[in-house]
Amino acid sequence: MTNLKALSLLKTSSYINGQWQQGKADLAVINPANDKTITHVVNAGIAETEQAVLAAQQALPAWRAKSANERGKLMRRWFDLMMENQDELATILTLEQGKPLAEAKGEIAYGAAFIEWFAEEGKRIYGDVIPAPAADKRILVLKQPVGVVAAITPWNFPNAMISRKAAAALGAGCTFVVRPATQTPLSALAMAELAERAGIPAGVFNVVVGDDAKGMGKVLTQHPAVAKFTFTGSTEVGKTLIAQCATTVKKVSMELGGNAPFIVFDDADIDAAVTGAIASKYRNAGQTCVCTNRIFVQDGVYDAFCAKFIAAVKQLKIADGMHDSSQIGPLITRSALDDVHKLVTDSVQQGAKIALGGDVDKAGHNFYQATVMTDVTNDMPIAKNEIFGPVSPIIRFSDEAEVLKQANDTDVGLAAYFYTRDIGRIFRVAEALEYGMIGINEGLISNAAAPFGGVKQSGSGREGSHYGLDDYLEIKYLCLGGIGANS
Ligand code: NAP
């Protein structure tokens, strides 16, 4: 049992303008591994969200006026504190989200890396001098912070989905308000505690926690003081929030759902493909937007791949994320598990076969067995929908053109993966896949140096890398006239 009293980062109310909100903590935070209440948080709502936006607005002039170097030093301190507290942050994350502790530690390091990255990248917001069409003019381009940024984030990466946005915003000179998912407020509040300890000024980083998603969402998408809105979550909710942002024409970026194909060609290194598929499918119990959703395997290696893959999946240990042995934790709720199970059973009715798993696991009510399905076709529910559970549907294919058509036959385009040793095919397939990120002979693709984001209905904008700042900057053009000749 974790001793909660020993967790100095366990905070239970919103952090607004450098203050912890007072009030009765009555909103339960549940551990999905056992459905027990971890703690309660104070349930903030519309009024507190408005306060947070106003606090960010007030804090903006001073934060924007700091040099990038000054901002970078405070952010660097924040990064250091996150890494010094990696174990405690990971414990809080596993308790509220369920993923195995080792993965939670990985998420903290991944999330913190964005703060380190943008602490530095903020120093490289270069402008431009463009040759003018007239001799007496000069064209100068400045990049300036957009202003107050509002964010809504999901439960599947309760730390990193916040830091990917907040780090870019703060590095660019913007101030920030986030509403984390109702299921996972504690990781966000722990980040706020460390931001305070790092000396990030009051009002620059605000966290509002509460269960009124719609009401708080309306403030964050429609308040006139918010200049930019950024969202990570489902495509369905993203579309609603884009429409809400239209009323005040906010700058918007969206990290939405995916349906990642994982293609194994006849010439692939099969062992590497099995390792890559396991990593990209089963981490976070399959609840990752870039998780493999459909595995396409070419005729010549189909039997060999299936045999090795099923043998490897069988080895995965399903247990409470706090247990050392755990490799697959619970799904976030029972209703999420029911959705996954329905995709499986509906597809079985249409002819798919269960090669492994296919039901609730003995580890508990919210745990789903590591599952492999064969005889799947691309039109079955398990292939058409984002699964968000530990289920691998395997689809057989014969040639490159056919698999590309099937892989692209979806409205979304976040991540795709393929395994081949043919250099010509690497370029052909990478260029033809309609996805924002492609893993080639690699199942793990996310890091702070790379541009993360999707095409089609997977969203717009990029997080991480030097491109990640663009979403938080405005371009301003200065036309300098009357220069003339020196007579
Ligand atoms: P979700 O239902 O869209 O929820 C995401 C966030 O939006 C939560 O904070 C939720 O609050 C809030 N929300 C829901 N309805 C809202 C509304 N009407 N107005 C304002 N806010 C609202 O998504 P999810 O099921 O939690 O997360 C999984 C989805 O996120 C998947 O589709 C996954 O692919 C996607 N995702 C994408 C990326 C990426 O980078 N592209 C990364 C991670 C996840 P409550 O918690 O209170 O419901």
Side-chain angles (χ1 to χ4, degrees):
M1 272 283 284
T2 311
N3 178 5
L4 294 179
K5 292 214 171 77
L7 298 176
S8 71
L9 300 176
L10 192 76
K11 308 299 285 188
T12 53
S13 67
S14 296
Y15 180 72
I16 301 169
N17 204 18
Q19 306 287 320
W20 297 96
Q21 187 201 354
Q22 300 298 311
K24 188 169 182 311
D26 54 7
L27 180 63
V29 185
I30 309 290
N31 181 344
N34 52 25
D35 285 336
K36 290 197 176 135
T37 298
I38 304 162
T39 186
H40 292 84
V41 295
V42 179
N43 195 5
I46 290 175
E48 291 80 8
T49 310
E50 284 170 349
Q51 278 170 25
V53 169
L54 293 177
Q57 186 183 30
Q58 272 170 14
L60 181 65
W63 183 250
R64 186 173 49 193
K66 281 188 191 298
S67 70
N69 211 21
E70 287 172 305
R71 286 196 294 265
K73 276 190 186 142
L74 291 169
M75 290 173 66
R76 174 77 209 190
R77 180 80 193 116
W78 193 17
F79 161 79
D80 287 339
L81 285 170
M82 280 185 46
M83 292 311 294
E84 283 164 25
N85 290 280
Q86 185 180 14
D87 288 352
E88 187 174 332
L89 289 168
T91 300
I92 291 171
L93 202 161
T94 293
L95 286 174
E96 67 177 348
Q97 198 274 341
K99 67 180 64 177
L101 196 55
E103 273 190 42
K105 284 184 194 168
E107 179 180 338
I108 301 303
Y110 172 66
F114 287 89
I115 298 175
E116 182 186 41
W117 177 267
F118 285 112
E120 290 302 318
E121 205 57 31
K123 299 172 191 167
R124 290 182 274 277
I125 301 174
Y126 301 133
D128 217 348
V129 182
I130 299 174
D136 67 340
K137 286 192 176 135
R138 297 291 182 272
I139 296 173
L140 311 177
V141 175
L142 307 182
K143 290 188 184 167
Q144 296 184 310
V146 288
V148 173
V149 173
I152 296 180
T153 52
W155 48 264
N156 64 344
F157 286 85
N159 176 293
M161 294 305 99
I162 295 175
S163 70
R164 277 202 329 206
K165 299 176 188 304
L170 267 57
C174 301
T175 53
F176 191 80
V177 179
V178 61
R179 177 194 177 272
T182 306
Q183 286 109 334
T184 55
L186 303 178
S187 294
L189 296 173
M191 289 173 77
E193 167 68 18
L194 293 178
E196 182 173 50
R197 289 187 199 172
I200 305 276
V204 170
F205 179 76
N206 306 276
V207 180
V208 276
V209 297
D211 64 358
D212 181 8
K214 281 195 179 152
M216 296 163 88
K218 282 214 171 113
V219 176
L220 297 175
T221 52
Q222 296 184 332
H223 198 295
V226 172
K228 188 219 154 77
F229 177 74
T230 170
F231 175 70
T232 298
S234 62
T235 298
E236 192 192 347
V237 173
K239 286 180 188 174
T240 304
L241 299 177
I242 293 170
Q244 288 176 197
C245 285
T247 58
T248 48
V249 194
K250 296 197 193 311
K251 199 173 165 84
V252 169
S253 50
M254 292 276 145
E255 295 286 352
L256 307 176
N259 182 350
F262 186 105
I263 307 169
V264 185
F265 287 100
D266 278 346
D267 62 1
D269 175 336
I270 297 299
D271 292 323
V274 167
T275 306
I278 298 267
S280 105
K281 173 74 248 184
Y282 291 98
R283 81 192 163 102
N284 203 11
Q287 304 169 110
T288 298
C289 53
V290 292
C291 264
T292 287
N293 211 60
R294 297 169 287 161
I295 303 182
F296 293 95
V297 187
Q298 201 164 9
D299 288 328
V301 290
Y302 185 86
D303 291 339
F305 176 86
C306 289
K308 286 190 173 188
F309 183 65
I310 291 165
V313 176
K314 236 183 220 164
Q315 300 303 315
L316 296 172
K317 298 275 180 305
I318 302 175
D320 183 330
M322 296 303 287
H323 292 171
D324 288 346
S325 65
S326 174
Q327 291 171 294
I328 298 185
L331 298 189
I332 189 72
T333 55
R334 178 64 197 210
S335 106
L337 183 147
D338 291 340
D339 290 347
V340 171
H341 191 52
K342 184 163 174 9
L343 292 177
V344 171
T345 51
D346 286 354
S347 301
V348 167
Q349 273 180 8
Q350 293 181 21
K353 300 214 165 51
I354 303 281
L356 188 70
D359 215 333
V360 181
D361 191 76
K362 62 181 180 334
H365 176 75
N366 297 336
F367 292 80
Y368 202 72
Q369 292 172 338
T371 298
V372 181
M373 299 173 76
T374 54
D375 294 60
V376 175
T377 55
N378 207 33
D379 55 358
M380 289 181 183
I382 199 75
K384 287 188 92 65
N385 294 281
E386 191 180 28
I387 305 169
F388 252 54
V391 179
S392 295
I394 304 186
I395 303 172
R396 192 179 186 123
F397 75 94
S398 300
D399 69 62
E400 190 182 300
E402 170 202 347
V403 78
L404 281 172
K405 194 159 172 272
Q406 293 195 69
N408 287 336
D409 184 18
T410 165
D411 290 337
V412 289
L414 192 60
Y417 309 84
F418 65 93
Y419 278 67
T420 177
R421 283 178 286 198
D422 176 331
I423 187 71
R425 175 174 275 155
I426 285 179
F427 278 92
R428 274 195 315 274
V429 172
E431 288 168 13
L433 284 169
E434 296 163 1
Y435 289 83
M437 297 173 281
I438 316 277
I440 305 164
N441 299 324
E442 179 56 62
L444 294 175
I445 55 176
S446 309
N447 60 75
F452 190 104
V455 300
K456 293 160 78 175
Q457 293 187 27
S458 286
S460 58
R462 292 293 179 270
E463 293 186 340
S465 81
H466 71 92
Y467 300 104
L469 280 176
D470 293 347
D471 284 300
Y472 298 88
L473 294 168
E474 298 281 21
I475 287 178
K476 186 181 279 177
Y477 150 49
L478 314 183
C479 181
L480 188 60
I483 294 172
N486 187 6
S487 55

